[in-house]
Amino acid sequence: MTSAPLREPGCELCDLAAPMTVYADSKLSVIIVDDANYPGFCRVVWRDHVREMSDLARDDRLLLNDAVHEVEQAVREVMKPTKVNVASLGNVVPHLHWHVIPRYTDDAHFPAPVWAAVVRQTEPDTLAARRALLPELADAIARRMNQEG
């Protein structure tokens, strides 16, 4: 019997019903974030409300790490970024999740983190072309995650 995920009232990731959830199971969800400047920005969200990787049992840590790996591979395959940033911060929302962010030399913050000050504007046509890849990215993530199960 599977128990319901642990929830924290008021946590935006516990209550997440993202329209771009491309994969979900009893342990984790994968979401394509609606970010106009960073098409292909994904989050891998642990379903239970825990704060840190060290809160997970070994098998769950491995499962989450594998999921982040598969999402990164899908982002690289479809989005063709210059670099992929992978981060688990959780300072604002202390719920275990990983950011997988395709980065390009023409993006608004490159080479600084996406949370830094904007240094340029990416051409609208470039962003539109990247957004056009999102259905393909969603399919690639779902395919890779379903192979893992």
Side-chain angles (χ1 to χ4, degrees), residues 13 16 22-23 25 27-33 41-47 53 63-72 75 86-88 95-100 141 145:
L13 294 180
L16 189 63
V22 295
Y23 176 82
D25 64 22
K27 298 279 188 171
L28 58 89
S29 298
V30 178
I31 297 147
I32 297 177
V33 177
F41 183 148
C42 298
R43 278 193 200 108
V44 180
V45 180
W46 194 251
R47 301 207 21 134
M53 288 285 286
L63 178 72
L64 181 54
N65 189 58
D66 285 348
V68 171
H69 171 82
E70 293 301 332
V71 172
E72 178 187 329
V75 166
V86 177
S88 178
H95 179 131
L96 182 58
H97 64 285
W98 285 86
H99 302 271
V100 181
I141 292 169
M145 295 302 296

Side-chain angles (χ1 to χ4, degrees), residues 9-132:
C11 172
E12 68 184 70
L13 294 180
C14 284
D15 299 330
L16 189 63
M20 285 302 292
T21 298
V22 295
Y23 176 82
D25 64 22
S26 64
K27 298 279 188 171
L28 58 89
S29 298
V30 178
I31 297 147
I32 297 177
V33 177
D34 183 15
D35 188 317
N37 289 317
Y38 288 94
F41 183 148
C42 298
R43 278 193 200 108
V44 180
V45 180
W46 194 251
R47 301 207 21 134
D48 280 343
H49 186 88
V50 298
R51 290 177 178 262
E52 311 296 347
M53 288 285 286
S54 56
D55 291 332
L56 300 179
R58 182 178 189 278
D59 287 347
D60 286 342
R61 285 192 314 269
L62 295 173
L63 178 72
L64 181 54
N65 189 58
D66 285 348
V68 171
H69 171 82
E70 293 301 332
V71 172
E72 178 187 329
Q73 288 295 96
V75 166
R76 289 182 71 192
E77 169 190 322
V78 175
M79 303 304 295
K80 308 279 193 263
T82 304
K83 179 75 174 87
V84 177
N85 290 174
V86 177
S88 178
L89 303 171
N91 297 335
V92 175
V93 180
H95 179 131
L96 182 58
H97 64 285
W98 285 86
H99 302 271
V100 181
I101 310 165
R103 300 299 307 277
Y104 305 88
T105 56
D106 66 351
D107 75 41
H109 298 89
F110 197 87
V114 298
W115 298 282
V118 171
V119 295
R120 74 184 59 77
Q121 295 297 315
T122 306
E123 290 295 323
D125 290 348
T126 299
L127 290 172
R130 290 176 186 155
R131 276 192 294 279

